[in-house]
Amino acid sequence: MGKGGKTDGGDGFEEASRDGCEQENMAAWLLGVNILKIQPFKLPNLGPRDVLIRLKAVGICGSDVHHFKNMRCADFVVKEPMVIGHECAGIVEEAGSEVKHLVPGDRVALEPGINCKRCKLCKQGRYNLCPEMKFFASPPTHGCLANQVVHPGDLCFKLPNNVSLEEGAMCEPLSVGVHACRRANVGPETNVLVMGAGPIGLVTLLAARAFEAPRIVVADVNDQRLSVAKALGAHEIVKVSTNIEEVAEEVVKIKEAMGTRVDVSFDCAGFNKTMATALSATGSGGKVCLVGMGQRELTLALTSAAAREVDVIGIFRYTNTWPLCLELLRSSKVDVKPLITHRFGFSQKEVEKAFETSAGGGSAIKVMFNL
């Protein structure tokens, strides 16, 4: 069930039994559609390269909400009780004998995916695509919405003194935007369109600004989220609809707002409408990067984009992003604090309320647990 914890048959719940663990470790377990329960969570023994982390900040991601509402996210299906959560930061309580860069008391951000390090993709540096990846709260691997987890030390990154634990947890969604900008080669000569102003669209906007994109336009159906995008540094915002018949006229609006060619478009929603808009708005020779996964399957007219040599690229999670994300936060080139709109404690009532708040949309952008 992954490094963070394990289950051994029965109903999946066991008492914590690590030596010296005086207080039972508790976690938020996903038991069924819309059913979360705080229950005991047994930790594995600490290995020589592992660290024991007491979690202090855990964010709710869109994939967590998908699991909560549907017991699946894309092709990842929850088939048995699972601890949820993968955006996290905490404090080192114990370090394995071979961990030299961390000591108890260090504040760290956790990269949630454990790759095999042996396959061809891992050796090529594309470990995010490792077929044996064990990723927090990606079934069947347990997540991190818990008092404590055990995690490999090399996936725990010490926070700069001026970076908070909440900001450390935000390294996970920010990593998606950073990886997208790397994949699309965003730089000082790249004009960027972002389709979707949800949490991932907003961190992609922040990443594109940090990568020095000279002009960024954000399009969304929601006025409130567009106003947030504008406050975060979008040069222009464009209100769009969900009606695919309006793509052509909305592309005209987007191009007018950009005032120059669109070099790279990021579809951070992942619907037929948003992808069709991105493909049409992107200039010849440009790139469209599919980031969001709103629909499991997309049906698109690609001939026109192919004739203009518009490259379509995908992203899946990230690789080697935590050091850069922490530097962007330390240097104040990126400020993720405005994205955290709601905070909750770690009780049964508050866990339920937090997921209802995140799933309900509205003014919620990033919902954060303070443990």
Side-chain angles (χ1 to χ4, degrees):
M1 273 284 196
K3 197 68 179 181
K6 59 183 179 181
T7 57
D8 297 320
D11 62 2
F13 308 128
E14 300 180 67
E15 294 184 356
S17 60
R18 294 189 72 257
D19 293 339
C21 191
E22 297 178 1
Q23 192 172 15
E24 197 168 39
N25 188 45
M26 306 297 284
W29 291 77
L30 178 62
L31 305 182
V33 173
N34 295 332
I35 302 174
L36 285 166
K37 295 291 183 183
I38 294 182
Q39 300 277 6
F41 179 35
K42 184 177 179 178
L43 295 176
N45 293 325
L46 189 75
R49 298 178 183 177
D50 296 333
V51 289
L52 174 66
I53 305 293
R54 180 163 294 277
L55 281 310
K56 291 296 183 181
V58 179
I60 298 179
C61 174
S63 64
D64 295 321
V65 173
H66 278 292
H67 286 134
F68 175 62
K69 287 294 185 182
N70 308 300
M71 294 296 282
R72 72 178 301 154
C73 181
D75 293 328
F76 298 96
V77 181
V78 182
K79 298 179 180 179
E80 57 185 8
M82 180 185 79
V83 176
I84 205 160
H86 63 268
E87 304 175 356
C88 59
I91 298 173
V92 175
E93 291 201 326
E94 186 179 351
S97 60
E98 295 181 22
V99 178
K100 305 302 182 184
H101 68 294
L102 296 171
V103 297
D106 283 345
R107 301 176 314 125
V108 293
L110 283 66
E111 182 173 350
I114 306 172
N115 60 297
C116 77
K117 297 181 170 61
R118 300 182 303 274
C119 71
K120 183 176 180 180
L121 287 163
C122 284
K123 290 180 177 180
Q124 289 176 339
R126 305 188 73 178
Y127 65 82
N128 57 317
L129 305 177
C130 174
E132 296 181 32
M133 176 70 77
K134 293 179 174 62
F135 191 94
F136 278 158
S138 183
T141 305
H142 284 313
C144 62
L145 185 47
N147 299 130
Q148 297 172 305
V149 295
V150 170
H151 204 54
D154 65 340
L155 295 175
C156 297
F157 298 85
K158 189 173 179 178
L159 300 183
N161 292 336
N162 65 336
V163 174
S164 71
L165 285 157
E166 285 190 341
E167 290 172 287
M170 289 294 292
C171 281
E172 200 283 336
L174 180 58
S175 286
V176 176
V178 166
H179 184 60
C181 286
R182 283 175 170 172
R183 286 273 289 153
N185 295 318
V186 172
E189 298 181 344
T190 313
N191 298 304
V192 168
L193 167 65
V194 178
M195 296 297 302
I200 293 301
L202 294 175
V203 293
T204 302
L205 159 64
L206 292 175
R209 289 190 65 216
F211 278 61
E212 301 182 351
R215 193 155 180 83
I216 306 169
V217 173
V218 178
D220 197 275
V221 299
N222 185 290
D223 286 317
Q224 188 267 335
R225 295 205 170 190
L226 284 172
S227 68
V228 173
K230 186 68 173 176
L232 291 174
H235 297 93
E236 294 291 343
I237 53 176
V238 177
K239 177 78 174 287
V240 293
S241 74
T242 58
N243 184 357
I244 200 163
E245 299 299 324
E246 297 179 3
V247 167
E249 62 185 83
E250 290 174 357
V251 166
V252 172
K253 292 181 183 178
I254 288 168
K255 289 182 176 180
E256 289 176 350
M258 183 66 75
T260 184
R261 62 170 269 129
V262 176
D263 298 301
V264 170
S265 292
F266 294 104
D267 181 0
C268 297
F271 293 97
N272 284 332
K273 165 74 185 303
T274 52
M275 195 62 176
T277 304
L279 287 167
S280 296
T282 303
S284 298
K287 295 183 178 69
V288 174
C289 183
L290 178 58
V291 182
M293 295 190 296
Q295 293 178 222
R296 290 186 65 199
E297 294 183 357
L298 298 176
T299 303
L300 298 162
L302 292 173
T303 306
S304 174
R308 294 184 293 112
E309 293 193 358
V310 173
D311 295 339
V312 178
I313 57 178
I315 73 156
F316 185 65
R317 297 173 180 156
Y318 31 68
T319 59
N320 300 309
T321 50
W322 259 251
L324 177 56
C325 287
L326 288 172
E327 174 56 24
L328 293 175
L329 295 171
R330 184 204 65 78
S331 63
S332 298
K333 288 185 178 179
V334 166
D335 183 7
V336 293
K337 294 188 292 294
L339 300 182
I340 305 171
T341 54
H342 295 74
R343 293 174 173 84
F344 293 88
F346 188 55
S347 68
Q348 181 65 43
K349 183 177 179 180
E350 291 206 67
V351 166
E352 291 173 355
K353 182 63 175 176
F355 271 83
E356 290 170 5
T357 300
S358 187
S363 63
I365 299 176
K366 180 58 62 180
V367 175
M368 185 73 66
F369 289 103
N370 296 136
L371 285 78

